[in-house]
Amino acid sequence: MDVVAAPKPDIIVVSGVRNNYEAGTSSVTGAVALSLFEAIEAAAPSTEVIVTDPIWDSTEPPADFAPLIDGVKAAAASAEARYLDIDEALADHPDMMDPDGLRPNDAGHQTVAGAALRVVA
């Protein structure tokens, strides 16, 4: 966390991805997320933490992905972090994914950032 705190940022944005799905249940994902948010708060107490909902890929997320999003949202609330629901910004955009199909490419990252900015504005 020293790397996070050293530049003394005003804002830290935490954005999860489909890898959160591998964590399992909403409570497990929420506990891990809360631990991260609390570590950021301890390392950089004057920094605003903004959390986006976890993003799937360009395909339709499975139905059981929604409870994991709820876990992250609950963790953000517990940590008093600002939560942004940016929806599935990459849905139906395989062109915005790396060749592995799992991670956003540069255009995908720009789309996610744009979605977050629209929610903030």
Side-chain angles (χ1 to χ4, degrees), residues 1-14 37 39-50:
M1 285 294 152
D2 291 340
V3 172
V4 171
K8 296 184 172 50
D10 294 324
I11 298 170
I12 293 175
V13 178
V14 179
F37 306 153
I40 293 170
E41 171 66 24
S46 62
T47 300
E48 179 183 6
V49 178
I50 298 176

Side-chain angles (χ1 to χ4, degrees), residues 89-90 96 104-118:
L90 302 175
M96 294 186 184
N105 59 22
D106 288 346
H109 284 293
Q110 289 178 350
T111 297
V112 169
L117 288 173
R118 280 190 295 283

Side-chain angles (χ1 to χ4, degrees), residues 9-114:
D10 294 324
I11 298 170
I12 293 175
V13 178
V14 179
S15 181
V17 293
R18 67 177 283 149
N19 293 347
N20 298 110
Y21 183 66
E22 303 300 323
T25 65
S26 173
S27 61
V28 169
T29 300
V32 170
L34 181 57
S35 176
L36 172 63
F37 306 153
E38 288 174 342
I40 293 170
E41 171 66 24
S46 62
T47 300
E48 179 183 6
V49 178
I50 298 176
V51 179
T52 71
D53 53 339
I55 302 164
W56 194 247
D57 54 32
S58 63
T59 63
E60 184 71 27
D64 57 350
F65 191 58
L68 300 182
I69 293 172
D70 293 340
V72 172
K73 188 174 187 176
S78 292
E80 298 181 1
R82 185 171 179 192
Y83 182 84
L84 303 179
D85 183 355
I86 62 170
D87 204 19
E88 287 298 324
L90 302 175
D92 298 322
H93 291 286
D95 57 309
M96 294 186 184
M97 303 301 295
D98 273 344
D100 66 7
L102 301 176
R103 294 170 214 19
N105 59 22
D106 288 346
H109 284 293
Q110 289 178 350
T111 297
V112 169

